[in-house]
């Protein structure tokens, strides 16, 4: 086996397929996006070089900054609402018996295996101002129950709640898996020493989960920035672009407004933002680990 791995032909056969996949599936599209970002192009005909005009327009595009703000709000919702609840749920599931543990694990993860289209239409019915479940519950407790949850002023909060709920299962499952991989003898030793549940969590579970938290938070940030399908089906970015997100706005500009060059300029900025935030997160986690 060692001789095979020292053979250059074997090494090439293992490396080249992955390298070609990366070049044609990742690197080439990014390079094309950079190229078309400098063009005025509708997707048909011949593109026209306009330099940095698309990027200059982007700096004054209020809808783009609204979409960026919404993406960052969703990222904050994932990190400060969804993930603490997911971590708490994973800790509680770990303490349940095997049968109950399996049932609740399946229930919490179930929304993630349902089609995004079904999820979006389900929540549209829940938010319906005339016969939706949410307004009916409010009426049952004596309220007016006539709120337009996807109307102006309410839409962004309703969309954020839907997205945080929908992604909860993935975050919980990753934390649950991380907790299951912690050596149980550490917990047994802590209990023998008289540690209570709070001390066990903050002195054993949380420190050992830091690599898992770093991966989960990074994935959540990227998921927030590239969120599109649920928003597109739930509100389409409306009303009046109140619920636009970056990926959704990119799609609308490139394929609905036929501004392919401008859409690619948005995609380039989008990739840069993803890279910057990922690097900032990685550095923050490394500095935190070094301080400890």
């Amino acid at each position: 086996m060692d001789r095979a791995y020292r053979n250059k032909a074997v090494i090439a056969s293992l490396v080249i397929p992955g390298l070609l996949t990366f070049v044609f599936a990742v690197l080439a599209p990014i390079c094309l996006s950079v190229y078309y970002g400098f063009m005025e192009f509708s997707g048909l005909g011949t593109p026209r070089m306009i330099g940095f005009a698309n990027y200059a327009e982007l700096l004054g595009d209020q809808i783009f900054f609204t979409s960026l703000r919404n993406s960052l709000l969703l990222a904050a919702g994932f990190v400060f609402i969804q993930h603490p609840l997911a971590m708490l749920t994973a800790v509680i599931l770990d303490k349940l018996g095997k049968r109950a543990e399996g049932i609740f694990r399946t229930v919490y993860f179930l929304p993630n295996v349902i089609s995004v289209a079904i999820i979006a239409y389900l929540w549209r019915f829940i938010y319906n101002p005339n016969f939706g479940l949410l307004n009916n519950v409010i009426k049952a407790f004596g309220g007016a129950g006539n709120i337009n949850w996807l109307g102006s002023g309410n839409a962004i909060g309703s969309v954020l709640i839907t997205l945080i709920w929908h992604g909860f299962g993935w975050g919980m499952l990753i934390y649950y898996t991380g907790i299951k991989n912690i050596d149980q003898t550490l917990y047994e030793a802590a209990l023998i020493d008289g540690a209570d549940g709070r001390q066990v969590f903050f002195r054993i579970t949380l420190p050992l989960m830091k690599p898992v938290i770093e991966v989960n938070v990074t994935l959540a940030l990227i998921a927030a920035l590239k969120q599109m399908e649920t928003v597109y089906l739930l509100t389409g970015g409306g009303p009046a672009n109140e619920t636009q997100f970056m990926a959704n706005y990119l799609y609308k500009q490139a394929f609905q407004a036929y501004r392919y060059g401008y859409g690619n300029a948005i995609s380039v900025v989008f990739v840069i933002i993803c890279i910057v935030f990922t690097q900032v997160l990685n550095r923050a986690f490394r500095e935190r680990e070094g301080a400890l």
Side-chain angles (χ1 to χ4, degrees), residues 82-99:
Q82 182 193 87
H83 282 234
L85 292 175
M87 172 77 81
L88 179 62
T89 304
V91 171
I92 294 173
L93 283 179
D94 183 52
K95 305 301 180 186
L96 296 177
K98 290 184 178 180
R99 185 178 180 84

Side-chain angles (χ1 to χ4, degrees), residues 9 36 38 59 92 131 133 137-138 143 185 191 227 263:
Y36 283 116
F38 294 109
L59 292 175
I92 294 173
F131 55 81
L133 175 64
V137 171
I138 292 174
T185 59
L191 293 175
Q227 181 58 236

Side-chain angles (χ1 to χ4, degrees), residues 82 85-86 89 108 112 163-173:
Q82 182 193 87
L85 292 175
T89 304
Y108 285 126
N112 294 99
L163 295 173
I164 290 170
W165 170 84
H166 188 209
F168 178 85
W170 276 115
M172 184 277 297
L173 189 63

